[in-house]
Amino acid sequence: MEKKGITRKSCSNLGNALKENSSVRHIILSGNELGGDAMSYFAESFKYMETIELNYCDIGCELSSKSVMDILSLCSGLSHLEIQGNKIDSSSIGMLGPGLGECLALK
């Protein structure tokens, strides 16, 4: 789903579809302008993911929001996370620490 024009508005539909298909383990949403606020739509649907790629998704300091922390804490099997090319500062990365600590399979 890389560079498919997925926007914040379509995230709700995508989140619901992923929730209904729990066999999806890898998702690449890189290059879509999702924004950090759209992550709340994926909290439940990302919990079975092993790979999540969110490069260049217009995610900024809001990445440190509770919804992203919830996603990370649910993803116990997450082994691969990519978030490069977003507007993430050092304080946002620091706030991700507790959520990332829950991802025991993360390499």
Side-chain angles (χ1 to χ4, degrees):
M1 303 189 83
E2 186 174 9
K3 296 182 183 176
K4 295 293 183 193
I6 299 168
T7 63
R8 291 169 177 87
K9 291 179 182 178
S10 57
C11 287
S12 176
N13 293 334
L14 179 58
N16 288 331
L18 288 170
K19 207 181 317 182
E20 291 176 18
N21 187 352
S22 61
S23 65
V24 176
R25 297 287 185 257
H26 307 276
I27 190 157
I28 300 171
L29 294 171
S30 298
N32 293 292
E33 294 190 27
L34 304 177
D37 54 335
M39 295 296 100
S40 62
Y41 296 114
F42 297 117
E44 281 295 312
S45 56
F46 276 8
K47 70 181 176 183
Y48 301 109
M49 294 293 170
E50 296 170 9
T51 300
I52 301 174
E53 293 185 21
L54 299 168
N55 299 315
Y56 302 95
C57 286
D58 195 31
I59 298 170
C61 293
E62 72 276 5
L63 182 66
S64 59
S65 70
K66 184 171 175 15
S67 64
V68 175
M69 296 299 206
D70 289 345
I71 289 171
L72 292 175
S73 66
L74 289 171
C75 296
S76 60
L78 185 66
S79 62
H80 184 88
L81 174 67
E82 290 188 20
I83 53 173
Q84 73 181 12
N86 290 294
K87 299 173 236 165
I88 302 168
D89 61 21
S90 58
S91 64
S92 297
I93 292 295
M95 295 179 83
L96 286 174
L100 291 172
E102 297 291 322
C103 302
L104 302 177
L106 196 61
K107 298 174 185 175

